[in-house]
Amino acid sequence: MDSNSTNTRRMRSGAVALGGMGLLAAALVACGNSNEPDRRCVDRSTLDKLDDRYCKSGSSNSRGTYYYGGSVRSGKVTGGSFDKSAVTRGGIGGHSSSGSSGG
């Protein structure tokens, strides 16, 4: 009876480990499965990255517009586009490729 109890305990811990791995795999697939490029709220004239609340439609603070792809360096966006269709999404852990900066 003692060895049976140990076997059951081992099977449970194996099931927990496998279940955790399944959740991790699902999370990775979900993150890399979007066809949408990264987007950031930006002041079009200065290219400064803004808080997302400045890009919300109907907001009284709506002074920003979305910038797709690229990256942020020193608070400014670079390497992306204001034109969403000009940017394609990278794979898992990848970055979006860039198009023109629009303007």
Side-chain angles (χ1 to χ4, degrees), residues 45-66:
S45 61
T46 64
L47 297 181
D48 288 333
K49 183 182 179 309
L50 303 173
D51 191 272
D52 279 343
R53 72 175 178 251
Y54 295 113
C55 283
K56 302 275 187 223
S57 62
S59 167
S60 61
N61 294 329
S62 186
R63 69 173 201 225
T65 188
Y66 284 114

Side-chain angles (χ1 to χ4, degrees), residues 52-99:
D52 279 343
R53 72 175 178 251
Y54 295 113
C55 283
K56 302 275 187 223
S57 62
S59 167
S60 61
N61 294 329
S62 186
R63 69 173 201 225
T65 188
Y66 284 114
Y67 186 85
Y68 299 93
S71 60
V72 179
R73 292 193 181 100
S74 301
K76 295 199 180 280
V77 294
T78 182
S81 176
F82 288 105
D83 180 5
K84 181 179 178 180
S85 65
V87 181
T88 57
R89 173 108 174 117
I92 293 176
H95 293 284
S96 301
S97 64
S98 64

Side-chain angles (χ1 to χ4, degrees), residues 3 9 13 22 28 38 42 46 55 61 64 72 76 90 93 96 101:
S3 68
R9 196 172 299 132
S13 66
L28 287 173
D38 294 337
V42 171
T46 64
C55 283
N61 294 329
V72 179
K76 295 199 180 280
S96 301
S101 62

